[in-house]
Amino acid sequence: MRVICHGGAGGVPDEPEPRQAVLDDAAETGADESTVVDAVVSAVEVLEESPRFNAGYGGAVQSDGVVRTDAGIMTEEREAGAVASMPGVANAAAVARVVMEETPHVFVSGVHAVDLADDFGVEVERELLTDDGRDDYEDADPPAHDGGPQAHLEWLEEKFGGHDTVGAVAHDPGADTFAACTSTGGRTFALAGRVGDVPQIGSGFFCAPAGGASATGAGEDIAKATLTRRAVRHLEDGLDAQAAADRAIAEFGELTGSSAGVIVLDGAGAGSAYNSEGMQTSVATDE
């Protein structure tokens, strides 16, 4: 099993070493699993449980002071599942897997996704906002909770931003199977209920027989450019994982003028590229 993980594209973190240690643990945890779906979900769960990353516990807070999580997962057989806008659910990747494996759908959102998580044994009603996140939100003079969306939009006009997320791609060379998974808390101070690229197939994640990809960055622009589908298409056209990642990010930058990162895995190896200030990754192989 080979697994590559990312911890989000954005600025250079103040403490990169502890973040890298968590990423390494995530990749190794995934590589120890026996199936690619287990591998990516297990790897992402390690990152969702760490407040050092914008996913699960420690995810970005929205304009109403609530952290809502999104995730998506896909296999090379184009089986897929996604969830969005879930308050109180840290392990969003596990819920996306429930959608993929237990329902006839590919996308479930909001409180109904939370109910689905609860029914299938994924922990709900967790506090996802860290003390630091709460302090940052309160220091930003948030809008009144009884204010409407227009009031929230006026407040966030100069505050909305930030972009990172977590993801993993796995390949089992014995079975020649792939899976890709991405999870996030969204972008800081987004409008309550905002959903970005992460749970959208072909944007935040994509997988095909040629390989898989997971993206991170400015979600609105990633969705418009379908970044992960673009990267996997390059694999299908014969590029290796690193060349596919490089070309996808170059095209993304030309199309949008925005910043993002992508990890890519094919049958021969892993690749990653970004045009932001930084993006930490980790690769592990269980020989």
Side-chain angles (χ1 to χ4, degrees):
M1 187 75 69
R2 177 182 285 114
V3 176
I4 181 171
C5 299
H6 70 75
V12 177
D14 293 334
E15 298 180 325
E17 293 83 2
R19 281 171 54 96
Q20 189 63 50
V22 179
L23 274 168
D24 292 345
D25 181 36
E28 291 164 5
T29 297
D32 285 340
E33 298 287 358
S34 58
T35 72
V36 289
V37 171
D38 287 338
V40 293
V41 172
S42 295
V44 167
E45 185 170 305
V46 172
L47 304 174
E48 290 171 332
E49 291 293 341
S50 172
R52 296 184 180 277
F53 300 92
N54 177 20
Y57 176 62
V61 62
Q62 295 192 331
S63 64
D64 61 349
V66 176
V67 176
R68 296 177 175 87
T69 56
D70 311 333
I73 187 171
M74 190 172 187
T75 74
E76 86 290 343
E77 295 181 334
R78 290 185 171 82
E79 295 296 322
V83 288
S85 207
M86 297 188 299
V89 180
N91 301 134
V95 193
R97 180 180 188 172
V98 169
V99 174
M100 179 177 71
E101 295 182 341
E102 304 293 344
T103 82
H105 312 305
V106 295
F107 207 146
V108 180
S109 67
V111 295
H112 303 292
V114 177
D115 291 342
L116 182 68
D118 192 26
D119 261 11
F120 281 87
V122 180
E123 187 177 2
V124 300
E125 297 185 356
R126 288 183 57 179
E127 177 55 73
L128 305 183
L129 187 60
T130 64
D131 290 341
D132 287 344
R134 184 175 292 103
D135 289 344
D136 290 343
Y137 178 70
E138 292 174 355
D139 289 345
D141 190 24
H145 288 303
D146 57 357
Q150 288 192 29
H152 282 236
L153 285 169
E154 291 172 4
W155 172 80
L156 65 84
E157 183 175 359
E158 296 181 356
K159 297 178 175 66
F160 168 62
H163 49 74
D164 60 16
T165 183
V166 303
V169 187
H171 176 230
D172 179 352
D176 198 23
T177 52
F178 291 92
C181 182
T182 309
S183 178
T184 191
R187 298 181 73 176
T188 304
F189 300 154
L191 183 67
R194 175 263 186 189
V195 176
D197 66 294
V198 164
Q200 299 187 50
I201 297 172
S203 297
F205 65 104
F206 195 78
C207 212
S214 170
T216 170
E220 281 72 14
D221 293 318
I222 290 173
K224 294 171 186 176
T226 56
L227 179 55
T228 54
R229 181 65 187 98
R230 185 177 298 271
V232 173
R233 184 177 295 117
H234 293 322
L235 293 180
E236 293 170 334
D237 289 341
L239 296 186
D240 64 23
Q242 185 58 54
D246 288 336
R247 182 170 295 183
I249 288 298
E251 292 171 343
F252 173 82
E254 292 171 2
L255 284 169
T256 69
S258 190
S259 61
V262 65
I263 55 173
V264 182
L265 200 61
D266 64 11
S272 64
Y274 58 92
N275 63 357
S276 57
E277 292 182 18
M279 181 178 77
Q280 290 178 283
T281 63
S282 183
V283 179
T285 303
D286 180 11
E287 302 291 352

